[in-house]
Amino acid sequence: MTNDSGGGRVLVIEHEPAVAELERRYLVREGYEVEVETDPARAAATAALTRPDVVVLDLSTAALPAELYRRVAEAARPAPVIAVTGPLDQITTPGLGDHQVTRPFGPRLLVGAVAEALRRSTPPETPGVLRAGPVTLDPRGRSVTVGDRSVALTVTEFDLLAFLMDNPGRVFTREQLLDAAWGPGAGAGNRTVDVHIAQLRAKLGEESPIRTVRGVGYVLDA
């Protein structure tokens, strides 16, 4: 999945080739990759084959719009489906999901609906697991392991290690590490950083990736 800035794969299912081409042009202009299917009978099969990030499905002339929507939604899952309906379809065909656009509409409205459908279907980013050699740090679970060994760290030790592992190969002064782990103006001295780094190294053991840069500070070797 992608965010609302474009760049995802959109499947447009529209029986009128001229309308489908207009929608395709507007979506491509916004950075989307677009596939077009003009045969509603092939809609579900095309959705299963192309694996889109979002589907724009014209239901305005479908004999059984709810059934067509169901088949396409199942084939495209987990991609969201935007139902394009006629003015009365919202009354006669309920249950068409969270995304619906009613004819007539401008192409920009459709582009906005696609962006919104992608935004709502994309889970929020979460911090990823960090690794440096045998050292693994999970920001979400606030856990650290060295190989198969679990390492218990204090809050400050964990924050220091996480900061270094998130910036491998970059040398930091003691002042920068103070700001990162304790916050600007916390009042801790440089000696505090040395003590916590020493404790970290002792807990990580011989596999510790933290290296002293004499006269400057510390760096984590990835």
Side-chain angles (χ1 to χ4, degrees), residues 56-145:
V56 177
L57 173 62
D58 176 33
L59 296 172
S60 61
T61 60
L64 297 171
E67 174 62 19
L68 178 58
Y69 179 91
R70 182 190 63 79
R71 289 191 286 108
V72 171
E74 288 181 356
R77 187 176 292 127
V81 177
I82 299 173
V84 178
T85 62
L88 300 179
D89 290 335
Q90 287 180 309
I91 300 174
T92 60
T93 56
L96 295 182
D98 297 330
H99 308 285
Q100 193 165 339
V101 175
T102 305
R103 290 187 185 277
F105 59 85
R108 291 196 175 278
L109 178 63
L110 178 63
V111 169
V114 168
E116 175 65 11
L118 282 172
R119 185 190 67 79
R120 291 170 60 180
S121 65
T122 302
E125 294 185 2
T126 55
V129 172
L130 303 174
R131 293 182 175 85
V135 180
T136 300
L137 183 147
D138 179 4
R140 294 186 65 189
R142 292 189 67 86
S143 63
V144 174
T145 57

Side-chain angles (χ1 to χ4, degrees), residues 17 26-27 61 65 72 94 98-99 101 118 147-148 158 172 174 186 191-192 198 212 221:
Y26 268 83
L27 289 166
T61 60
V72 171
D98 297 330
H99 308 285
V101 175
L118 282 172
D148 296 329
F158 183 92
F172 289 98
R174 291 169 175 81
R191 177 60 181 161
T192 302
T212 300
D221 294 324

Side-chain angles (χ1 to χ4, degrees), residues 4-213:
D4 58 6
S5 62
R9 182 183 296 110
V10 181
L11 172 61
V12 173
I13 300 171
E14 167 59 61
H15 73 286
E16 295 185 26
V19 175
E21 176 61 16
L22 180 62
E23 294 174 352
R24 186 193 69 81
R25 288 181 181 180
Y26 268 83
L27 289 166
V28 167
R29 187 181 301 173
E30 295 298 320
Y32 296 103
E33 176 185 345
V34 182
E35 298 283 343
V36 172
E37 175 57 69
T38 57
D39 184 358
R42 289 185 45 81
T46 303
L49 180 65
T50 58
R51 306 308 303 165
D53 295 314
V54 63
V55 179
V56 177
L57 173 62
D58 176 33
L59 296 172
S60 61
T61 60
L64 297 171
E67 174 62 19
L68 178 58
Y69 179 91
R70 182 190 63 79
R71 289 191 286 108
V72 171
E74 288 181 356
R77 187 176 292 127
V81 177
I82 299 173
V84 178
T85 62
L88 300 179
D89 290 335
Q90 287 180 309
I91 300 174
T92 60
T93 56
L96 295 182
D98 297 330
H99 308 285
Q100 193 165 339
V101 175
T102 305
R103 290 187 185 277
F105 59 85
R108 291 196 175 278
L109 178 63
L110 178 63
V111 169
V114 168
E116 175 65 11
L118 282 172
R119 185 190 67 79
R120 291 170 60 180
S121 65
T122 302
E125 294 185 2
T126 55
V129 172
L130 303 174
R131 293 182 175 85
V135 180
T136 300
L137 183 147
D138 179 4
R140 294 186 65 189
R142 292 189 67 86
S143 63
V144 174
T145 57
V146 178
D148 296 329
R149 177 173 62 91
S150 179
V151 179
L153 301 180
T154 67
V155 171
T156 303
E157 290 168 352
F158 183 92
D159 291 343
L160 265 176
L161 182 61
F163 181 74
L164 287 167
M165 291 185 69
D166 201 34
N167 297 276
R170 181 178 170 184
V171 178
F172 289 98
T173 66
R174 291 169 175 81
E175 289 78 10
Q176 289 172 320
L177 292 176
L178 277 171
D179 288 346
W182 284 268
N190 288 349
R191 177 60 181 161
T192 302
V193 174
D194 294 335
V195 170
H196 280 79
I197 290 292
Q199 292 171 346
L200 259 177
R201 284 171 163 167
K203 291 181 177 181
L204 297 176
E206 295 180 356
E207 306 289 353
S208 171
I210 302 172
R211 177 169 55 88
T212 300
V213 179

